[in-house]
Amino acid sequence: MSVYNAKKYLNRLRYLNLLIKSKKEQLAEVKNKAESICSPSLRERVQTSPKNDCIESSLSAVMELENEIQIDVEKYLKIQLEISQAISRIENYDERTLLELRYINLKKWEEIAVDMNYSYRQTLRLHGRALLSFERWHTMSH
């Protein structure tokens, strides 16, 4: 595993988090459109109304997106545990802390620098060392 691959492995959580956020935004948009297009109230269901088709298709889309989000959240939690366990094997406390802040807590570099009381540049240098440590551990364990 190279440093690039270590970074890619660790960033899976960040990308999945973005995907979940995107789907939640899509869900809010679908709900908003369904409420404005179908009827003043989605709760009204008249059997013979053409609005009924609109409501059913909207509800179907909402349920499908909610199901996708639930699956992604379950996957997120599984990957979070996997990455957390892998990071916990890093011996150096500062490197381990930085990796957790970046790849588990999904913090930005500036936030990590403040949290760890390091300069921005020192934070990036520490990240490089942490990735090398992670790569060494991951290569030895697999």
Side-chain angles (χ1 to χ4, degrees), residues 26-27 101:
Q26 290 173 39
L27 180 61
L101 290 171

Side-chain angles (χ1 to χ4, degrees), residues 10 14 87 90 92-132:
L10 293 167
R14 182 175 301 279
I87 290 172
I90 302 298
N92 182 288
Y93 175 79
D94 287 339
E95 292 174 359
R96 186 174 62 242
T97 301
L98 182 137
L99 292 175
E100 286 177 0
L101 290 171
R102 180 67 178 172
Y103 298 105
I104 302 297
N105 298 355
L106 306 178
K107 289 195 172 194
K108 296 179 181 179
W109 293 119
E110 295 82 4
E111 295 173 306
I112 296 169
V114 169
D115 288 351
M116 295 186 73
N117 200 26
Y118 285 142
S119 70
Y120 181 82
R121 298 267 313 142
Q122 181 60 24
T123 302
L124 296 181
R125 277 193 289 274
L126 180 60
H127 178 249
R129 286 198 315 264
L131 286 176
L132 288 172

Side-chain angles (χ1 to χ4, degrees), residues 43-80:
R43 291 157 207 62
E44 295 175 13
R45 297 196 84 181
V46 179
Q47 201 67 19
T48 58
S49 169
K51 291 180 183 175
N52 195 39
D53 291 339
C54 179
I55 292 169
E56 284 184 20
S57 66
S58 296
L59 287 175
S60 175
V62 166
M63 288 173 51
E64 186 175 325
L65 269 172
E66 286 176 340
N67 188 45
E68 286 179 24
I69 291 169
Q70 181 61 35
I71 290 168
D72 288 342
V73 167
E74 289 171 9
K75 186 176 179 182
Y76 179 93
L77 294 172
K78 194 174 179 180
I79 291 171
Q80 183 182 38

Side-chain angles (χ1 to χ4, degrees), residues 1-57:
M1 173 181 272
S2 68
V3 171
Y4 170 78
N5 287 334
K7 216 172 178 179
K8 189 175 175 181
Y9 174 86
L10 293 167
N11 266 322
R12 293 179 304 155
L13 205 55
R14 182 175 301 279
Y15 296 127
L16 190 52
N17 187 52
L18 288 172
L19 180 67
I20 291 168
K21 280 183 179 180
S22 173
K23 286 183 180 180
K24 285 183 176 181
E25 289 174 9
Q26 290 173 39
L27 180 61
E29 185 67 25
V30 167
K31 285 180 178 180
N32 187 30
K33 284 183 180 178
E35 288 175 4
S36 65
I37 293 172
C38 294
S39 71
S41 172
L42 277 175
R43 291 157 207 62
E44 295 175 13
R45 297 196 84 181
V46 179
Q47 201 67 19
T48 58
S49 169
K51 291 180 183 175
N52 195 39
D53 291 339
C54 179
I55 292 169
E56 284 184 20
S57 66

